[in-house]
Amino acid sequence: MAVGVEKDDTLYGLNLKDAAVRRAVYESPADTDSVKKLYAHHGTKYTHTSALSS
């Protein structure tokens, strides 16, 4: 799991064990907008950030 985006007190990750997600990552340019799109289309909730501070 690649965790990297926080939105509304929730961390989102990319499941790199999923072939479709890996393909999208490899085919994506490494610019900010492309990374945001990856997380928007393939990201899954990882944890709430409030749980990390407890």
Side-chain angles (χ1 to χ4, degrees):
M1 182 71 71
V3 178
V5 172
E6 181 179 357
K7 181 179 175 184
D8 300 325
D9 294 328
T10 301
L11 289 175
Y12 287 84
L14 297 173
N15 180 358
L16 298 177
K17 290 186 176 186
D18 182 307
V21 174
R22 282 196 314 272
R23 183 176 305 116
V25 170
Y26 292 135
E27 293 176 353
S28 176
D31 61 81
T32 302
D33 289 335
S34 296
V35 172
K36 287 179 181 179
K37 287 179 185 177
L38 280 172
Y39 278 91
H41 294 295
H42 299 284
T44 57
K45 289 184 180 181
Y46 183 70
T47 190
H48 288 283
T49 55
S50 59
L52 298 175
S53 61
S54 299

